[in-house]
Amino acid sequence: MARMKSSMTMFMMMIMVASMQMHGSMAQTRHVVGDTLGWTIPTGDAYTTWASQQTFNVGDTLFFNFTTGIHNVAEVSQAAYDPCTTANPISITTTGPATITLTTGGAHYYICTVGTHCQIGQKLAINVSATPAAPTTPPPATPTPPPVPTPVSPPTTTPSPAPVPSTTTTPPPTTTPSPSPVGANPPSPTTSGPSPSDRTTPSPPGDTTPPPPSPSTAARSFTVVVPATFLAVALAFFY
């Protein structure tokens, strides 16, 4: 149990040290006022030009490099800054060099209250950002999702249709009888045996009377007799 408490204590100490190191990594900027010129009577608008090239944030420090008894640094309001009014400053430091921490955002005004140094140009106006500067860390790269493979469909094979047996029957060849020649007389049917007109009825036995001539025989006889008679009459008429 004691070992666990000791481990927890060590862990908390490590977190505190890491937090202090992180706070130190977000180190505030130390601005040397005027750079190599220091805090003195300038030529022209040297401090205005220097301030325009800086970025001030809450927590930064201003380092005024001057000799004690020759210069001082006083923070004043905007109303006192323009006419270089030295009465009732917000704060004043007479021992040099002096370091002032920027604890609030907004406009800050500093002047030297010795003699007419402010009127000559030993004055500084800056604008402080209310948000402390944070280290710029590039945003993490967004991983690009891998491309989704497109599913490949297998080729579709269409089965060949089964052969359908043919139900069409070929009609047998039609034989057309050749037409008879024009003018040809159809053959007469041949009859075997005597015609009904030539048939004679047999007489019963014992009858001696000759049968009467058949109508066809009488007609043939008449046909033969009539032309002969007509021929005789014609010869008699001429002679």
Side-chain angles (χ1 to χ4, degrees), residues 138-146:
T142 303
T144 303

Side-chain angles (χ1 to χ4, degrees), residues 32-47 50 65-66 71 121:
V32 179
V33 179
D35 292 332
T36 57
L37 175 63
W39 184 242
T40 185
I41 299 174
T43 302
D45 296 331
Y47 293 114
W50 174 84
N65 187 14
F66 62 91
H71 304 287

Side-chain angles (χ1 to χ4, degrees), residues 164-234:
V164 180
S166 177
T167 57
T168 305
T169 56
T170 305
T174 303
T175 304
T176 305
S178 301
S180 301
V182 179
N185 294 324
S188 300
T190 304
T191 57
S192 59
S195 62
S197 59
D198 294 337
R199 294 176 183 175
T200 57
T201 304
S203 58
D207 189 1
T208 58
T209 303
S214 62
S216 60
T217 305
R220 286 195 299 266
S221 299
F222 178 78
T223 303
V224 174
V225 171
V226 170
T229 303
F230 180 78
L231 181 61
V233 173

Side-chain angles (χ1 to χ4, degrees), residues 63-88:
F63 180 73
F64 293 87
N65 187 14
F66 62 91
T67 303
T68 302
I70 299 177
H71 304 287
N72 63 22
V73 53
E75 184 175 0
V76 297
S77 63
Q78 182 180 6
Y81 178 79
D82 292 331
C84 292
T85 302
T86 60
N88 301 320

Side-chain angles (χ1 to χ4, degrees), residues 91-112:
S91 66
I92 186 170
T93 303
T94 59
T95 302
T99 299
I100 298 176
T101 302
L102 303 174
T103 57
T104 59
H108 292 263
Y109 304 93
Y110 303 93
I111 64 173
C112 179

